Amino acid sequence: MKGVILAGGVGKRLNPLTDPLNKHLLPVYNKPMIEYAINTLVGGGIDNILILLNGLHPGLFLEMLEDGSRFDCEISYRFSKQLGGPGRTLMLAKKWIAHEDFFVILGDGIFFTQLPLMEIEAPHMFISPLNSFDDPHKYGQVKIENNLVKSIVWKPNNIFSNLIQTTCFKFPPDVFSRLDKIDKDIKGEINITTITTQYVQEGKMKYTILPEFSYIDCGTFEALHTASKKAKENFVARL
């Protein structure tokens, strides 16, 4: 099965670190951020991975990750200098995916638990309880009722849930035809939440709620620091 890593974000909240460098190459304890996404996919049984990049130093990714053989997978690359949010970037994978279900993971979300990737059906999303340092206004909040995902609101003004949408999904191939029909937002971007909301409204979205403190979005300095500390704890525990 195939997996796609979205690694094209500019990372404005991590300036000035991301002025010269793609945020997905920033270190999280002892390895670059993107390696955690690769390990999550490979650990879940995915051995064919496509990394989608913006035009910022794509050669560094190729030099660092090569063909993926040291991760026990095959890695391919696509890049575009045209920004349009993660939804628009995902369109670069359309021909590569063809007509099968596939996984999508954003490269700045780190999972500290193994995801049961091969055991789930599409469309599927992973949901996490908020961490104590999280700002709930910065996430897609998720409401669960009667074992169904009832709603997802991206960066809501009013907090209505302690559950958030993480950065790993399983999509059916019809996600590309859906993306083709979506209008960009005021920033000219298409967010992943726009797609997941469609499946929720149709009653199709399945979900898994992760344990507490098993997911960190590394979009801020505080989160990046906390992720590094937790990665160090996990690394030491394995020694």
Side-chain angles (χ1 to χ4, degrees):
M1 184 164 285
K2 295 179 176 180
V4 176
I5 299 177
L6 298 177
V10 177
K12 291 181 179 179
R13 292 181 292 170
L14 292 171
N15 278 338
L17 297 182
T18 50
D19 279 341
L21 190 68
N22 185 303
K23 70 176 177 180
H24 303 90
L25 296 178
L26 295 176
V28 178
Y29 183 49
N30 61 348
K31 55 188 174 185
M33 188 185 299
I34 194 167
E35 286 197 18
Y36 291 87
I38 294 171
N39 291 336
T40 293
L41 292 178
V42 173
I46 310 303
D47 60 5
N48 197 357
I49 295 173
L50 177 66
I51 300 179
L52 302 181
L53 305 165
N54 59 23
L56 186 61
H57 307 307
L60 290 179
F61 284 86
L62 187 59
E63 182 178 350
M64 184 176 293
L65 306 175
E66 299 179 325
D67 64 355
S69 51
R70 71 182 176 92
F71 303 102
D72 295 322
C73 68
E74 178 181 332
I75 295 180
S76 304
Y77 304 85
R78 301 283 189 279
F79 77 94
S80 172
K81 293 183 179 180
Q82 184 177 8
L83 299 178
R88 181 57 61 195
T89 301
L90 184 57
M91 289 298 291
L92 294 173
K94 183 177 180 179
K95 291 184 179 179
W96 185 79
I97 292 297
H99 305 293
E100 58 184 289
D101 294 347
F102 67 103
F103 287 92
V104 175
I105 186 169
L106 277 65
D108 55 359
I110 296 183
F111 295 88
F112 293 100
T113 186
Q114 185 56 61
L115 305 184
L117 301 183
M118 304 308 290
E119 302 169 17
I120 62 176
E121 298 179 2
H124 197 107
M125 62 188 298
F126 290 92
I127 298 170
S128 173
L130 281 164
N131 293 313
S132 57
F133 60 85
D134 285 331
D135 180 352
H137 298 289
K138 300 296 185 182
Y139 296 89
Q141 288 191 22
V142 181
K143 185 176 183 179
I144 305 292
E145 285 184 2
N146 300 321
N147 295 321
L148 293 174
V149 182
K150 297 299 292 185
S151 64
I152 305 171
V153 181
W154 178 245
K155 296 183 178 180
N157 293 323
N158 299 314
I159 301 170
F160 62 88
S161 173
N162 72 330
L163 298 174
I164 59 171
Q165 173 181 272
T166 72
T167 49
C168 187
F169 314 88
K170 186 176 185 180
F171 286 131
D174 79 338
V175 70
F176 297 109
S177 60
R178 291 171 181 267
L179 285 168
D180 267 335
K181 298 173 184 177
I182 292 175
D183 293 329
K184 295 181 181 179
D185 67 15
I186 196 170
K187 297 179 182 179
E189 298 182 350
I190 297 177
N191 197 283
I192 291 292
T193 305
T194 308
I195 285 295
T196 54
T197 297
Q198 285 191 11
Y199 290 118
V200 168
Q201 291 173 342
E202 296 168 10
K204 296 178 179 178
M205 180 61 73
K206 305 167 188 68
Y207 69 93
T208 298
I209 298 180
L210 302 176
E212 289 187 306
F213 304 110
S214 60
Y215 166 77
I216 297 178
D217 180 336
C218 293
T220 66
F221 287 111
E222 183 177 16
L224 187 62
H225 177 64
T226 301
S228 291
K229 290 196 299 182
K230 189 167 181 64
K232 179 181 179 180
E233 292 170 2
N234 288 359
F235 178 78
V236 172
R238 291 195 298 269
L239 294 179

Short mmCIF file of all heavy atoms in Angstrom, two decimals, residues 151-183:
data_model
loop_
_atom_site.label_atom_id
_atom_site.label_comp_id
_atom_site.label_asym_id
_atom_site.label_seq_id
_atom_site.Cartn_x
_atom_site.Cartn_y
_atom_site.Cartn_z
N SER A 151 -18.89 16.37 13.49
CA SER A 151 -18.46 17.62 12.87
C SER A 151 -16.98 17.85 13.09
O SER A 151 -16.38 17.33 14.04
CB SER A 151 -19.25 18.81 13.43
OG SER A 151 -18.99 18.98 14.80
N ILE A 152 -16.39 18.61 12.18
CA ILE A 152 -15.01 19.07 12.28
C ILE A 152 -15.02 20.56 11.95
O ILE A 152 -15.57 20.96 10.92
CB ILE A 152 -14.06 18.34 11.31
CG1 ILE A 152 -14.13 16.83 11.50
CG2 ILE A 152 -12.63 18.82 11.50
CD1 ILE A 152 -13.39 16.07 10.43
N VAL A 153 -14.43 21.36 12.82
CA VAL A 153 -14.35 22.80 12.56
C VAL A 153 -12.89 23.20 12.63
O VAL A 153 -12.21 22.99 13.65
CB VAL A 153 -15.17 23.62 13.58
CG1 VAL A 153 -15.06 25.10 13.26
CG2 VAL A 153 -16.62 23.17 13.57
N TRP A 154 -12.40 23.79 11.54
CA TRP A 154 -11.00 24.17 11.46
C TRP A 154 -10.78 25.50 12.16
O TRP A 154 -11.39 26.51 11.83
CB TRP A 154 -10.57 24.27 10.00
CG TRP A 154 -9.16 24.70 9.77
CD1 TRP A 154 -8.72 25.83 9.17
CD2 TRP A 154 -7.98 23.97 10.14
NE1 TRP A 154 -7.35 25.88 9.14
CE2 TRP A 154 -6.87 24.74 9.73
CE3 TRP A 154 -7.77 22.74 10.78
CZ2 TRP A 154 -5.55 24.32 9.94
CZ3 TRP A 154 -6.46 22.32 10.99
CH2 TRP A 154 -5.37 23.12 10.56
N LYS A 155 -9.90 25.52 13.16
CA LYS A 155 -9.54 26.71 13.92
C LYS A 155 -10.78 27.50 14.37
O LYS A 155 -10.97 28.65 13.99
CB LYS A 155 -8.61 27.60 13.10
CG LYS A 155 -7.27 26.94 12.79
CD LYS A 155 -6.34 27.88 12.04
CE LYS A 155 -5.00 27.21 11.79
NZ LYS A 155 -4.04 28.10 11.06
N PRO A 156 -11.63 26.88 15.19
CA PRO A 156 -12.89 27.52 15.59
C PRO A 156 -12.68 28.68 16.56
O PRO A 156 -11.71 28.71 17.32
CB PRO A 156 -13.66 26.38 16.27
CG PRO A 156 -12.58 25.52 16.84
CD PRO A 156 -11.44 25.57 15.85
N ASN A 157 -13.61 29.62 16.52
CA ASN A 157 -13.58 30.72 17.50
C ASN A 157 -14.03 30.24 18.87
O ASN A 157 -13.52 30.69 19.90
CB ASN A 157 -14.49 31.86 17.02
CG ASN A 157 -13.95 32.54 15.78
OD1 ASN A 157 -12.74 32.71 15.62
ND2 ASN A 157 -14.84 32.92 14.87
N ASN A 158 -15.00 29.33 18.88
CA ASN A 158 -15.54 28.81 20.14
C ASN A 158 -15.11 27.36 20.33
O ASN A 158 -15.30 26.52 19.45
CB ASN A 158 -17.07 28.89 20.14
CG ASN A 158 -17.56 30.32 20.03
OD1 ASN A 158 -17.06 31.21 20.71
ND2 ASN A 158 -18.54 30.54 19.15
N ILE A 159 -14.53 27.06 21.48
CA ILE A 159 -14.06 25.71 21.77
C ILE A 159 -15.24 24.82 22.14
O ILE A 159 -16.03 25.16 23.02
CB ILE A 159 -13.05 25.75 22.93
CG1 ILE A 159 -11.87 26.65 22.56
CG2 ILE A 159 -12.58 24.35 23.28
CD1 ILE A 159 -10.94 26.94 23.73
N PHE A 160 -15.40 23.71 21.46
CA PHE A 160 -16.53 22.82 21.73
C PHE A 160 -16.10 21.38 21.98
O PHE A 160 -16.93 20.51 22.22
CB PHE A 160 -17.53 22.86 20.58
CG PHE A 160 -16.98 22.39 19.26
CD1 PHE A 160 -17.02 21.05 18.90
CD2 PHE A 160 -16.42 23.29 18.37
CE1 PHE A 160 -16.51 20.61 17.69
CE2 PHE A 160 -15.92 22.87 17.15
CZ PHE A 160 -15.96 21.53 16.81
N SER A 161 -14.79 21.10 21.93
CA SER A 161 -14.33 19.72 22.09
C SER A 161 -12.88 19.72 22.55
O SER A 161 -12.13 20.66 22.27
CB SER A 161 -14.46 18.97 20.77
OG SER A 161 -13.87 17.69 20.85
N ASN A 162 -12.48 18.66 23.25
CA ASN A 162 -11.07 18.50 23.60
C ASN A 162 -10.39 17.51 22.65
O ASN A 162 -9.28 17.06 22.90
CB ASN A 162 -10.92 18.02 25.04
CG ASN A 162 -11.33 16.56 25.21
OD1 ASN A 162 -12.20 16.07 24.49
ND2 ASN A 162 -10.71 15.87 26.16
N LEU A 163 -11.06 17.17 21.56
CA LEU A 163 -10.52 16.26 20.56
C LEU A 163 -10.15 17.04 19.30
O LEU A 163 -10.92 17.91 18.85
CB LEU A 163 -11.52 15.17 20.21
CG LEU A 163 -11.94 14.25 21.35
CD1 LEU A 163 -13.05 13.30 20.89
CD2 LEU A 163 -10.75 13.43 21.86
N ILE A 164 -9.00 16.71 18.72
CA ILE A 164 -8.55 17.39 17.51
C ILE A 164 -8.22 16.39 16.41
O ILE A 164 -7.89 15.24 16.67
CB ILE A 164 -7.33 18.28 17.78
CG1 ILE A 164 -6.16 17.44 18.31
CG2 ILE A 164 -7.68 19.42 18.73
CD1 ILE A 164 -4.85 18.20 18.41
N GLN A 165 -8.35 16.86 15.19
CA GLN A 165 -7.94 16.09 14.03
C GLN A 165 -6.42 16.09 13.96
O GLN A 165 -5.79 17.14 14.04
CB GLN A 165 -8.53 16.76 12.79
CG GLN A 165 -8.08 16.18 11.46
CD GLN A 165 -8.73 16.93 10.31
OE1 GLN A 165 -9.81 16.60 9.88
NE2 GLN A 165 -8.08 17.96 9.82
N THR A 166 -5.82 14.91 13.85
CA THR A 166 -4.36 14.84 13.71
C THR A 166 -4.00 14.96 12.22
O THR A 166 -4.80 15.37 11.40
CB THR A 166 -3.80 13.55 14.30
OG1 THR A 166 -4.16 12.44 13.45
CG2 THR A 166 -4.31 13.31 15.71
N THR A 167 -2.79 14.56 11.92
CA THR A 167 -2.27 14.77 10.56
C THR A 167 -2.08 13.46 9.80
O THR A 167 -1.25 13.39 8.89
CB THR A 167 -0.93 15.53 10.64
OG1 THR A 167 -0.08 14.88 11.60
CG2 THR A 167 -1.16 16.96 11.07
N CYS A 168 -2.82 12.43 10.14
CA CYS A 168 -2.74 11.18 9.39
C CYS A 168 -4.14 10.72 9.00
O CYS A 168 -5.05 10.71 9.83
CB CYS A 168 -2.05 10.09 10.21
SG CYS A 168 -1.73 8.56 9.28
N PHE A 169 -4.29 10.34 7.72
CA PHE A 169 -5.60 9.97 7.18
C PHE A 169 -5.43 8.81 6.20
O PHE A 169 -4.37 8.64 5.59
CB PHE A 169 -6.23 11.14 6.42
CG PHE A 169 -6.17 12.45 7.15
CD1 PHE A 169 -5.07 13.29 7.00
CD2 PHE A 169 -7.19 12.84 8.00
CE1 PHE A 169 -5.00 14.50 7.68
CE2 PHE A 169 -7.13 14.05 8.68
CZ PHE A 169 -6.04 14.87 8.51
N LYS A 170 -6.52 8.05 6.04
CA LYS A 170 -6.60 7.11 4.93
C LYS A 170 -7.73 7.57 4.03
O LYS A 170 -8.87 7.75 4.48
CB LYS A 170 -6.86 5.68 5.41
CG LYS A 170 -6.80 4.65 4.28
CD LYS A 170 -6.97 3.23 4.80
CE LYS A 170 -6.77 2.22 3.67
NZ LYS A 170 -6.92 0.82 4.15
N PHE A 171 -7.41 7.78 2.75
CA PHE A 171 -8.39 8.29 1.81
C PHE A 171 -8.63 7.28 0.68
O PHE A 171 -7.70 6.57 0.26
CB PHE A 171 -7.90 9.59 1.16
CG PHE A 171 -7.95 10.79 2.06
CD1 PHE A 171 -6.84 11.61 2.19
CD2 PHE A 171 -9.09 11.11 2.77
CE1 PHE A 171 -6.87 12.72 3.01
CE2 PHE A 171 -9.13 12.22 3.60
CZ PHE A 171 -8.02 13.04 3.72
N PRO A 172 -9.85 7.24 0.16
CA PRO A 172 -10.10 6.50 -1.08
C PRO A 172 -9.67 7.37 -2.26
O PRO A 172 -9.48 8.59 -2.12
CB PRO A 172 -11.62 6.30 -1.06
CG PRO A 172 -12.14 7.47 -0.28
CD PRO A 172 -11.09 7.81 0.73
N PRO A 173 -9.52 6.80 -3.44
CA PRO A 173 -9.03 7.58 -4.58
C PRO A 173 -9.98 8.68 -5.04
O PRO A 173 -9.57 9.58 -5.78
CB PRO A 173 -8.82 6.52 -5.67
CG PRO A 173 -9.64 5.35 -5.25
CD PRO A 173 -9.66 5.37 -3.76
N ASP A 174 -11.25 8.64 -4.61
CA ASP A 174 -12.17 9.70 -5.02
C ASP A 174 -11.84 11.05 -4.38
O ASP A 174 -12.44 12.07 -4.72
CB ASP A 174 -13.62 9.32 -4.73
CG ASP A 174 -14.02 9.49 -3.26
OD1 ASP A 174 -13.13 9.50 -2.39
OD2 ASP A 174 -15.23 9.58 -3.00
N VAL A 175 -10.85 11.07 -3.47
CA VAL A 175 -10.45 12.33 -2.86
C VAL A 175 -9.96 13.33 -3.91
O VAL A 175 -10.14 14.55 -3.77
CB VAL A 175 -9.38 12.09 -1.77
CG1 VAL A 175 -8.06 11.67 -2.38
CG2 VAL A 175 -9.18 13.33 -0.91
N PHE A 176 -9.40 12.82 -5.00
CA PHE A 176 -8.85 13.72 -6.01
C PHE A 176 -9.96 14.41 -6.81
O PHE A 176 -9.87 15.60 -7.13
CB PHE A 176 -7.91 12.96 -6.94
CG PHE A 176 -6.70 12.41 -6.24
CD1 PHE A 176 -6.56 11.06 -6.03
CD2 PHE A 176 -5.72 13.26 -5.75
CE1 PHE A 176 -5.46 10.55 -5.37
CE2 PHE A 176 -4.61 12.77 -5.09
CZ PHE A 176 -4.48 11.40 -4.89
N SER A 177 -11.02 13.69 -7.12
CA SER A 177 -12.13 14.33 -7.82
C SER A 177 -12.82 15.34 -6.90
O SER A 177 -13.31 16.38 -7.35
CB SER A 177 -13.15 13.28 -8.30
OG SER A 177 -13.68 12.53 -7.22
N ARG A 178 -12.83 15.07 -5.62
CA ARG A 178 -13.39 16.02 -4.66
C ARG A 178 -12.53 17.29 -4.61
O ARG A 178 -13.05 18.40 -4.57
CB ARG A 178 -13.47 15.38 -3.27
CG ARG A 178 -14.50 14.26 -3.15
CD ARG A 178 -14.35 13.54 -1.81
NE ARG A 178 -15.30 12.45 -1.67
CZ ARG A 178 -16.50 12.54 -1.09
NH1 ARG A 178 -16.89 13.70 -0.59
NH2 ARG A 178 -17.29 11.50 -1.00
N LEU A 179 -11.22 17.11 -4.57
CA LEU A 179 -10.33 18.26 -4.53
C LEU A 179 -10.48 19.14 -5.76
O LEU A 179 -10.38 20.36 -5.68
CB LEU A 179 -8.87 17.79 -4.40
CG LEU A 179 -8.44 17.28 -3.02
CD1 LEU A 179 -7.10 16.57 -3.10
CD2 LEU A 179 -8.36 18.43 -2.03
N ASP A 180 -10.72 18.51 -6.90
CA ASP A 180 -10.89 19.26 -8.15
C ASP A 180 -12.07 20.22 -8.09
O ASP A 180 -12.09 21.24 -8.77
CB ASP A 180 -11.10 18.29 -9.32
CG ASP A 180 -9.78 17.95 -10.01
OD1 ASP A 180 -8.85 18.78 -9.93
OD2 ASP A 180 -9.70 16.87 -10.61
N LYS A 181 -13.06 19.89 -7.27
CA LYS A 181 -14.29 20.66 -7.23
C LYS A 181 -14.32 21.71 -6.12
O LYS A 181 -15.29 22.46 -5.99
CB LYS A 181 -15.49 19.72 -7.05
CG LYS A 181 -15.66 18.73 -8.20
CD LYS A 181 -16.75 17.72 -7.88
CE LYS A 181 -16.86 16.67 -8.98
NZ LYS A 181 -17.88 15.64 -8.66
N ILE A 182 -13.26 21.75 -5.31
CA ILE A 182 -13.25 22.64 -4.14
C ILE A 182 -12.68 24.00 -4.51
O ILE A 182 -11.64 24.09 -5.18
CB ILE A 182 -12.43 22.02 -2.99
CG1 ILE A 182 -13.15 20.79 -2.45
CG2 ILE A 182 -12.23 23.04 -1.86
CD1 ILE A 182 -12.35 20.05 -1.41
N ASP A 183 -13.34 25.06 -4.07
CA ASP A 183 -12.82 26.40 -4.24
C ASP A 183 -11.77 26.67 -3.17
O ASP A 183 -11.91 26.27 -2.02
CB ASP A 183 -13.93 27.45 -4.11
CG ASP A 183 -14.93 27.35 -5.25
OD1 ASP A 183 -14.51 26.98 -6.37
OD2 ASP A 183 -16.12 27.63 -5.02
#
